[in-house]
Each structure stands twice: as C-alpha cells, then as structure tokens.
Amino acid sequence: MRKTDFQLIAILIFLACTGFSQAGEQLADQLPQSPSGVTPAQWIPHPNNPVLTPGSKGTWDAGALGSMSVLKVGEVFHMYYEAWGTRENMSTDYNSLQIGHATSNDGIHWNKDPANPVLTNGTANDWDRDGTWDPFVIYEDGMFKMWYGGGMDNHCDWGYATSSDGVHFVKHGQISHLGHVEDDHVIHDPTSGRYAMYYWDRKHEPNGLRIAWSSNETDFDFAHAQPVRIDGLPAHSMHKFTHVFQEDGRWLMYFAEFKRPGCKGCWTGYATSLDGVHWQVQNSRLMQGFDAEILKVTDDLHFMYYAPDGYFDQKNCDIRLAVLRGNLHDEGIHFSPSAPSTIQPLQSH
C-alpha cells in the first residue's frame, strides 16, 4: 500500500471520530516534517484529491468544474463553482455553463447540493441566456452575495445575485456592459467601506487585469477601471485568476500565469500590496496549478482550492485541495518593512 493511502485512511478515521478543530490538527500531522521536527511552511496537495469531480454522463455538471469560491458560514463550508454540462466542442459548449453549490463540515469532504444548479443560465431574452459562470460569493448582512459572469464570446458581462440560505438565489440583473470579461473577485474594504472588483478584460491583453470600485454591490465604475500591475513579473506575460483578500493589515493576492490553451505549466504565485492597486510579487512559484482560492481555517491552518495543471476550460477538470500548516507569512515570503500596520484606504478618482 502507498504512503498516501495510509495518510488518507488515517485522516478519514480521525474525521469520523472527532470534531473539526481536532481534525484540523490531525490533518497538519500528516504533512511532511523537516529534520528538526518543524512542519515546512509550504502548500501540500491533499491525499484525498480531487475533492470535487464532474458528474456522471448526462448530468448538468458532467463536462468540467472550475472557478470555485469557498467560504465558511458558521460551522458549514460552502463552495460555489462553475460547471459545464458538456465539454466536447471547445467553441460552442460555453452555453452549457451554470453555477453549482456544495457543502462540507470539514472543507475536505464535499456534498453537492441536490438543488443544483443554484444559478441557472437565463431564458431566451435574458442577458445571461448563454451561460452563467465565474461565481464569487461573500457572506455579509445575513446574505450570500454573488457576483458572476454571464454570456459567451464577445458578450461576457457581470451580474449580481443574492440568497438568504445560500441555495435559492435571486438575480438582480446585469451590472456591466464590457463584453470581454472573466475571472471576477470582489473584496469589501473595511477601511474605505467600498467594494473593489478585480477582473480580467480580454480587450486589454496581455495587461488585462483590472480593478473597479463601487460604494455598493452593483454600481462599479467600470469606465474608470484601473489596470493592475504586479511588479516583478515579466512585462508581457499574462497573470490572472486573482484571489485578493486582507490579512494582518496587508493586501494579499494569489494569482497564476495564464497560457492558452489549458494553462499548461502555470504556477500559482503570491503578491502583496499596500493599497490594493500596486502590487509586488513575493513568490511566483508556490505550487503548480491555477485558479487558487484561499480559505483561512484557523490561525495556523489554511486551505487552497485549485484546478490541476493544464486543465483550464478542459474536459474533466476537477477541484483540488492543498494545505498550508502555518501562517501565510511563513511561505518564504518577505513583506516590505515599511508596510503599515493598518490597511490604507483605496484612493478616490
């Protein structure tokens, strides 16, 4: 029996017999140890991978999964993801995209929602009739707030939907008229009180990463969206799949290089910022794979959900998990000594 098999059996037995906090400690014990007995601060793929897979043939999510958004509300983990009903024709299958939901008690073992898909594509006259995709969800004010993409080809834009239970969503319409967008991520900055949307605009490739601001959930000023540059990366390479959040008074971004087709040989990297606009790469090769979504489980335990190398928009793409035992600052990354102790407000236009 392989070593990973022993690891998996031990994890499954322990999860069945203990609470989640103890399970987190047990999971950490499965990570490799340095000679000194200290766990290295590195992302380790989980032996139970993949943690979510496409459905059986003929089901709504049989083609591929991707673009996951993960959050924890109370004691329940929620994952929202895009799913292809079919992935046989690379140019026409986009209209099979819809958004699904799965839940978990530990962030490792997931159950797909029987109500799936929780955000379907629109009807004949709707702006999102050709597919719904790229969900990003936060929970605040007692509501699950979802930003998502709709349409296909040169008619891709952003929409907004809400739910009180995380399952039944109400669409609130199209909130952009850009036509070439993908990969959204929204952060509600506690200092300025504004929402910032990071997204990719194909019209501006190879420098397609943009940020737009809004005083509320829907009125983003896309007309004055700013380009986002990550200093320290090659000038003409494309880097997207951003996940931006704030921790310990600093802005953090996970991203990956983007290569068509399939994103083969792409690595997830990590950058920091003082204002959310100007970024400095700290490590461009954390681990191979892309579309990373980071979730803080405890102060010294973090989960990364990601897509496997070479499977961007490809048939049978699944969702995987890597684990970091330690603080995000311990990844071999060095913050600027001049970094402030509090987050700086986003600059007004």
Side-chain angles (χ1 to χ4, degrees):
M1 185 178 289
R2 296 171 299 176
K3 180 179 179 182
T4 53
D5 293 331
F6 285 114
Q7 292 175 320
L8 178 55
I9 291 171
I11 292 171
L12 293 174
I13 292 173
F14 196 85
L15 287 172
C17 301
T18 63
F20 176 70
S21 61
Q22 292 175 313
E25 296 176 2
Q26 178 70 11
L27 175 60
D29 291 340
Q30 306 303 315
L31 304 184
Q33 299 288 315
S34 69
S36 64
V38 178
T39 303
Q42 58 180 301
W43 290 101
I44 307 296
H46 195 277
N48 203 37
N49 278 332
V51 295
L52 202 69
T53 58
S56 58
K57 185 176 181 179
T59 57
W60 78 277
D61 61 349
L65 309 182
S67 296
M68 71 298 295
S69 176
V70 184
L71 63 160
K72 188 181 181 188
V73 179
E75 296 303 313
V76 179
F77 293 80
H78 296 263
M79 179 188 292
Y80 297 89
Y81 57 94
E82 69 177 23
W84 308 73
T86 181
R87 202 69 189 104
E88 303 295 340
N89 188 311
M90 292 298 178
S91 61
T92 62
D93 290 345
Y94 283 86
N95 58 12
S96 74
L97 278 165
Q98 299 184 93
I99 293 171
H101 174 229
T103 57
S104 172
N105 292 324
D106 58 13
I108 302 169
H109 305 91
W110 293 88
N111 297 304
K112 293 180 181 179
D113 195 322
N116 278 337
V118 295
L119 202 74
T120 61
N121 50 16
T123 57
N125 296 320
D126 294 331
W127 72 276
D128 58 357
R129 61 186 177 275
D130 290 323
T132 54
W133 35 267
D134 281 354
F136 183 76
V137 181
I138 65 175
Y139 182 81
E140 62 179 9
D141 307 323
M143 298 291 290
F144 292 83
K145 301 179 179 181
M146 177 191 291
W147 293 264
Y148 70 97
M152 63 183 294
D153 297 331
N154 294 325
H155 302 283
C156 296
D157 272 294
W158 300 124
Y160 178 66
T162 57
S163 171
S164 60
D165 61 7
V167 179
H168 303 92
F169 280 85
V170 176
K171 294 180 181 180
H172 298 285
Q174 181 178 355
I175 64 172
S176 73
H177 295 84
L178 298 170
H180 305 84
V181 297
E182 55 192 67
D183 292 325
D184 62 321
H185 182 94
V186 176
I187 183 169
H188 193 180
D189 175 44
T191 302
S192 68
R194 294 193 292 171
Y195 293 86
M197 178 186 285
Y198 294 82
Y199 64 97
W200 185 261
D201 192 331
R202 297 191 302 272
K203 182 175 60 177
H204 297 290
E205 290 184 1
N207 302 309
L209 190 57
R210 292 291 187 269
I211 181 173
W213 294 273
S214 175
S215 60
N216 56 42
E217 294 89 341
T218 58
D219 296 325
F220 290 92
D221 187 5
F222 293 109
H224 296 95
Q226 287 183 270
V228 177
R229 177 178 174 179
I230 306 174
D231 290 334
L233 296 175
H236 299 293
S237 61
M238 295 192 290
H239 291 81
K240 62 171 197 163
F241 307 111
T242 51
H243 179 193
V244 178
F245 56 99
Q246 299 165 352
E247 183 171 285
D248 297 335
R250 297 173 174 88
W251 291 72
L252 315 177
M253 176 195 287
Y254 284 76
F255 62 89
E257 186 177 7
F258 179 48
K259 300 175 184 176
R260 293 187 180 97
C263 212
K264 180 66 175 175
C266 293
W267 287 72
T268 289
Y270 182 61
T272 58
S273 173
L274 302 183
D275 60 7
V277 180
H278 305 93
W279 294 85
Q280 177 64 49
V281 66
Q282 303 294 341
N283 188 331
S284 62
R285 295 172 69 87
L286 284 179
M287 65 172 292
Q288 202 160 25
F290 62 95
D291 226 356
E293 175 83 0
I294 310 302
L295 182 68
K296 182 177 181 179
V297 182
T298 66
D299 286 341
D300 59 357
L301 182 64
H302 293 77
F303 286 172
M304 176 196 291
Y305 300 90
Y306 67 99
D309 181 43
Y311 275 83
F312 172 71
D313 281 1
Q314 302 298 302
K315 184 178 180 179
N316 295 326
C317 184
D318 54 40
I319 295 173
R320 305 193 176 195
L321 170 66
V323 179
L324 176 72
R325 181 68 171 97
N327 192 287
L328 289 178
H329 301 185
D330 299 332
E331 298 172 273
I333 296 163
H334 304 285
F335 291 95
S336 167
S338 61
S341 58
T342 56
I343 298 171
Q344 299 301 300
L346 293 169
Q347 298 301 310
S348 302
H349 294 295

